[in-house]
Amino acid sequence: MMDVLMNWISTLYAVLAVAPFITFVLLWFLVFYFLRDKKMTTRLAMDVTTFFLLGSVSLMWNRLFHTNFGFWMIALVLLIAFGIIGGYQTHLKGKTDLLKVSRVVWRLSFLGLSMLYILLFFVHIGKNYIFST
């Protein structure tokens, strides 16, 4: 029973991570249907899509550079960003609000991973076009 559930969850993740921008749009419309708040809907869709972008970008990185370090590199960059932003907030206010720092890092990672996804997508297309003949 547990194997079937895990298989179903991993398949669902794989399907949604293949095209995270389509996932973003579908999720945005689904959440907007229930909440009717564009700002909150956009933030929630960004947060969930970031989860799928992590897997997608790390897989594209691993395939392009023939390595298994993609996910760990992204995790390292997120931890460094968390430390820098947390240190900056501590310097400004004298204390760190971990929830705010994690939100900022997570939403900035959406922007960074989106750009990286687009870049790696076109690099993969170019690589396959150049080396197909």
Side-chain angles (χ1 to χ4, degrees):
M1 177 69 176
M2 195 61 141
D3 290 336
V4 173
L5 180 65
M6 289 305 293
N7 191 17
W8 184 80
I9 289 173
S10 65
T11 303
L12 179 65
Y13 179 82
V15 167
L16 294 174
V18 166
F21 293 109
I22 294 172
T23 303
F24 176 84
V25 171
L26 291 175
L27 188 64
W28 193 93
F29 283 112
L30 180 71
V31 173
F32 184 74
Y33 177 76
F34 291 108
L35 296 181
R36 300 287 183 207
D37 182 8
K38 288 183 180 180
K39 190 174 184 180
M40 189 173 183
T41 299
T42 303
R43 288 179 179 166
L44 183 63
M46 283 173 58
D47 291 342
V48 173
T49 304
T50 302
F51 180 65
F52 295 114
L53 279 167
L54 279 169
S56 184
V57 169
S58 65
L59 180 69
M60 290 170 73
W61 183 274
N62 290 343
R63 295 287 168 103
L64 185 64
F65 296 109
H66 305 290
T67 183
N68 290 325
F69 188 66
F71 175 78
W72 299 111
M73 182 189 61
I74 294 170
L76 179 64
V77 169
L78 291 179
L79 286 172
I80 291 170
F82 190 87
I84 290 171
I85 293 172
Y88 182 70
Q89 187 183 52
T90 302
H91 178 71
L92 284 181
K93 298 184 179 186
K95 62 179 181 175
T96 303
D97 185 358
L98 295 177
L99 187 60
K100 281 187 179 181
V101 172
S102 60
R103 278 190 199 137
V104 167
V105 169
W106 194 249
R107 294 198 177 130
L108 285 174
S109 67
F110 172 79
L111 295 175
L113 289 172
S114 296
M115 290 186 288
L116 198 55
Y117 178 87
I118 292 168
L119 177 71
L120 291 174
F121 182 78
F122 285 116
V123 168
H124 270 282
I125 290 174
K127 178 184 167 193
N128 290 337
Y129 180 73
I130 290 171
F131 293 115
S132 66
T133 56

